[in-house]
Amino acid sequence: MVNGIVLVCNKDFEVGDIVYNSFRNTSWHEKNLHIRDLCNSEETDKVNEFIKELKTEGATFSWEINVAFNNSLKLLKFSGSRFNKNYFIFALETAEDVPILYEELMRINNEQANYIRKILKERFLKAKAPKEDKSTYEDLSRLNNELANLQRELAKKNAELTRLNEIKNHFLGMAAHDLRNPLGNIYNFADLLESKSENFTEKQLRFIQHIKAQSLYMANLVNDLLDFSAIETGKIYLNLQPANLNDLINKTLELSNSLAGKKNIQIDFSPSTIPIELTIDTDKIEQVINNLLTNAIKYSHPDTQIKIQIKDSDEVVTIHVTDQGLGIDEDEVSVLFKPFQRTSNQATSGERSTGLGLFICKRIIEAHQGKIHVKSQKGMGSEFYFSLPKINVSYE
């Protein structure tokens, strides 16, 4: 069974009809609502981008948007297609169901169109219309059938692309998983050799340190590829549990302070005066904080400062990581949270980046129904900050 909702919207994206609905406990049965009214209010910007791409391209697929379900939220995969003057909007639990449902809707729609054409043709013949008008009608009918056939073919191609993408993600995950342990062993053996530095010449020691650095980079890349593969297949599983935010950040600082110390960078953490308890996946939020701190260290000059602040409001808690580093060019800010994207900045001590860290951070924060942002100015440093809801949200 395909789980989700399929809507028909007009050119202004107001809901005109609900052609499919597997959910029974939702208020989506109301018509004449705008598509934005059916989604979480914090997703307005993303819904606007979805609408913009659908209008421009005529079709768009696999937008992850949180949908309001009574007192809870559900993360659905949104896709859409223009049809005549209206739009089909698919909001499904998995993107793999889109081609199947789309093809079926096209088939049903084509049958209805054929029936309407049959009635019109019968009435037309009874009225003894001129022969040239009948020919015109037949041409229009043929063209409409060809269009329907092309739409079905497009749906089949999309289904095939979805299948190939699943195979790619499976292979990527399998390869990355098999590489992780050998790379970890290489790093550990190199670390052991480095601890016996008195037995090696200066040149040999540099080789060992190079092996450590390269194996650590490759291990981080493998871990990012595993996360990316899981995200691409829609498998972000959250182990939600109560956590003290001050304690979580202090735990993350244990590793970051060591990295910062090599460049004489001071990390200044301002904990909240009142303990803040959040229901989160502590490992994944720690991964986000660690990634932001690592990037701040990577692109900061020695003898500078990084600040971590917690800002508390009624509904959300926001964590800010601010550095005095290189800053980011305004033209490059828009690609920061996309996979395999790098800016023109070079790390101040030659550190390397996989181009996946911020993309993974964004997906983790969105899975927690939060948002992540950046403020930056070239040469003036950067401020990355993300918000997490304080309410206990129902994750279905």
Side-chain angles (χ1 to χ4, degrees), residues 49-256:
E49 288 297 317
F50 169 79
I51 291 173
K52 180 180 178 182
E53 183 167 316
L54 182 51
K55 283 184 174 180
T56 304
E57 304 295 334
T60 184
F61 300 92
S62 298
W63 287 68
E64 293 184 342
I65 299 176
N66 286 302
V67 174
F69 274 70
N70 298 328
N71 294 323
S72 65
L73 297 175
K74 179 185 284 290
L75 187 65
L76 297 180
K77 299 290 184 67
F78 273 65
S79 300
S81 173
R82 183 168 53 232
F83 186 75
N84 295 333
K85 295 182 179 180
N86 295 323
Y87 294 89
F88 279 130
I89 305 294
F90 305 81
L92 309 178
E93 284 190 338
T94 60
E96 289 78 6
D97 292 331
V98 171
I100 300 169
L101 195 55
Y102 182 82
E103 184 174 2
E104 180 64 15
L105 286 170
M106 289 298 100
R107 183 186 65 79
I108 294 171
N109 186 78
N110 193 40
E111 290 174 357
Q112 292 172 338
N114 286 334
Y115 179 70
I116 292 171
R117 286 197 298 272
K118 179 181 177 182
I119 294 174
L120 290 174
K121 186 176 180 180
E122 288 174 353
R123 292 180 179 177
F124 183 85
L125 292 174
K126 286 179 181 179
K128 297 182 179 180
K131 185 175 181 180
E132 59 271 21
D133 288 343
K134 179 182 177 181
S135 175
T136 301
Y137 171 82
E138 293 292 351
D139 287 341
L140 289 173
S141 179
R142 176 179 56 80
L143 290 172
N144 191 71
N145 279 329
E146 289 178 0
L147 177 60
N149 290 334
L150 288 172
Q151 288 171 329
R152 285 196 295 271
E153 186 65 24
L154 176 62
K156 291 179 182 178
K157 294 294 184 183
N158 285 332
E160 178 65 12
L161 287 174
T162 298
R163 186 183 69 84
L164 292 174
N165 191 54
E166 288 176 352
I167 294 173
K168 180 264 295 181
N169 287 330
H170 177 72
F171 173 78
L172 187 66
M174 182 175 63
H177 187 272
D178 289 344
L179 284 170
R180 183 162 55 179
N181 287 339
L183 287 170
N185 290 335
I186 292 172
Y187 177 85
N188 290 333
F189 284 132
D191 188 56
L192 178 63
L193 288 172
E194 187 182 31
S195 68
K196 308 293 183 180
S197 58
E198 67 275 4
N199 299 324
F200 299 100
T201 65
E202 184 177 342
K203 183 177 182 180
Q204 290 171 330
L205 192 57
R206 284 201 308 271
F207 287 159
I208 293 172
Q209 291 169 344
H210 184 69
I211 292 171
K212 276 187 65 178
Q214 293 300 314
S215 59
L216 180 61
Y217 167 74
M218 293 179 67
N220 289 335
L221 175 59
V222 164
N223 288 330
D224 284 350
L225 287 173
L226 283 170
D227 288 337
F228 175 76
S229 177
I231 289 170
E232 281 288 279
T233 54
K235 297 176 181 177
I236 301 185
Y237 299 113
L238 299 181
N239 179 25
L240 299 174
Q241 54 187 341
N244 181 286
L245 196 55
N246 286 339
D247 293 343
L248 181 64
I249 294 176
N250 277 320
K251 179 182 176 183
T252 308
L253 286 177
E254 293 176 6
L255 174 62
S256 298

